[in-house]
Amino acid sequence: MNSRRDFLKKSALATTGTMLIPNFLKAFEANQMGLSQGTPDRILVIIQLSGGNDGLNTIVPYRNDIYYRERPSLAIPKEKVLRINDEIGFNPALSALNDIYDDGLLTIVNNVGYPNPDRSHFRSMDIWHTASDADKYVNTGWIGRYLDANCPTNCTEPYNAIEVDDMLSLAMKGNKIKGLAVKNPEKLYKQAHNSYFEQLSTSQSFTNNSSLDEHENVSYLYKTLAETLSSADYIYNKWNGSKIYKTNLTYPASEIGKRLKTVAELILTGINTNVYYVSISGFDTHINQLEQQNRLLQAYCEAVSVFTQDMKENNRIDDVMVMTFSEFGRRVKQNASNGTDHGTANNLFLINGRLKKSKVFNEAPNLTDLDEGDLKYTIDFRNIYAT
């Protein structure tokens, strides 16, 4: 990523933005995002900050007078900012992320968004999940389409993309192949092997596939059950039986800490999975933002710090890329409740051992050129997906 032009040139976006296939996952061979050719075992870990994280109080423009003028009680004091360069710095709650940055493993991409932004949580998240244009509605996710397009023979199981949660995000759903929601491998295994599911899986209707051809919906449910049972066995047996993964690190007891520990365990025990998806909620900070956001940012970065250290100690940091995003940022001006309202463009983080040397990819937000009080995007998030 020597320049924004090179970044966009490598993105290979389809015209509509709805047929994106991420090259990082697709080929495992292109020298994208500064990654050199090597192991075919590359893994993408996506972390979603749900609710619209305030990017301006995450990566702070501490030299900008407009920032302090528009946020008289919310702005992070200059003396507390962990400075990155002459313009921007980390929120002090992100000290662990600052260490990752100093270690050369983190790239910050500013002003990420899309044309005609939508300020609804649900709609904007759908746009991020599907990589669609703002005026188009798509029922498959960008990772789901990767599974559909690139895994006709060797990626046919749901565990090829795992979301550490109870429910599967739209991003993970394809037309033919979907990811698998697994919050706890042992719990999933026990649920899959309760008496009801075992009886159902051995029933004549379940085993007689030809009788299901005329009933598409029922056939789909049986197929999903079969895939889940098979995946539950595979994941649990690998996760429970492997002696490869032994960590001396202590993950935080937070929800994001537990989920990233599960991801680390699955990666390091050799699960055949190229994509992991985790979320942390609570970033909709309309009221009394400072304490809430700082607590969430600290929980996020402490968990990511341990995960990154785990990947380093197990020699996987070059093969595992962590991408953190939120569905939108917040408005520049604080509201009357010591919070911020829904905005548009935001920052995005990439963590990997083979990123290019430039740690801040592009320019800081321009607070003198706003769109009705909101930041203007300069990088379409789909360009990042495509690389």
Side-chain angles (χ1 to χ4, degrees), residues 87-254:
E87 292 185 88
I88 58 176
F90 288 104
N91 182 307
L94 292 172
S95 60
L97 201 65
N98 188 30
D99 293 339
I100 296 174
Y101 176 87
D102 288 341
D103 204 18
L105 301 174
L106 171 66
T107 287
I108 300 165
V109 187
N110 294 310
N111 310 314
V112 181
Y114 55 89
N116 304 311
D118 195 300
R119 291 168 181 80
S120 160
H121 291 294
F122 302 105
R123 179 60 189 141
S124 188
M125 193 63 81
D126 277 354
I127 292 167
W128 275 84
H129 282 181
T130 62
S132 67
D133 294 334
D135 61 346
K136 293 183 173 63
Y137 290 81
V138 180
N139 58 10
T140 57
W142 69 288
I143 297 299
R145 291 197 300 276
Y146 152 68
L147 296 175
D148 281 344
N150 293 281
C151 303
T153 56
N154 61 348
C155 293
T156 56
E157 298 295 338
Y159 56 73
N160 293 124
I162 290 177
E163 181 158 5
V164 184
D165 207 332
D166 291 324
M167 296 186 66
L168 196 66
S169 297
L170 177 57
M172 306 282 274
K173 297 178 181 179
N175 275 320
K176 299 177 181 178
I177 304 174
K178 295 174 174 58
L180 183 70
V182 182
K183 195 169 184 180
N184 181 295
E186 184 174 10
K187 183 178 178 182
L188 176 67
Y189 178 82
K190 290 179 178 179
Q191 289 175 336
H193 284 275
N194 70 35
S195 57
Y196 173 75
F197 287 130
E198 289 190 335
Q199 289 176 16
L200 188 61
S201 66
T202 57
S203 69
Q204 185 176 359
S205 297
F206 185 85
T207 55
N208 185 8
N209 293 328
S210 60
S211 67
L212 299 174
D213 293 341
E214 299 176 1
H215 307 283
E216 184 178 349
N217 291 336
V218 176
S219 177
Y220 171 79
L221 292 175
Y222 273 115
K223 179 177 179 291
T224 300
L225 175 60
E227 291 175 343
T228 302
L229 293 174
S230 172
S231 296
D233 287 349
Y234 170 79
I235 293 170
Y236 179 74
N237 290 334
K238 292 282 286 186
W239 176 77
N240 189 51
S242 175
K243 302 300 181 185
I244 298 173
Y245 178 72
K246 293 291 184 183
T247 182
N248 296 319
L249 304 179
T250 301
Y251 279 77
S254 62

Side-chain angles (χ1 to χ4, degrees), residues 11-28:
S11 66
L13 257 185
T15 14
T16 62
T18 60
M19 296 304 294
L20 284 174
I21 303 298
N23 291 332
F24 179 81
L25 300 168
K26 178 182 177 183
F28 306 127

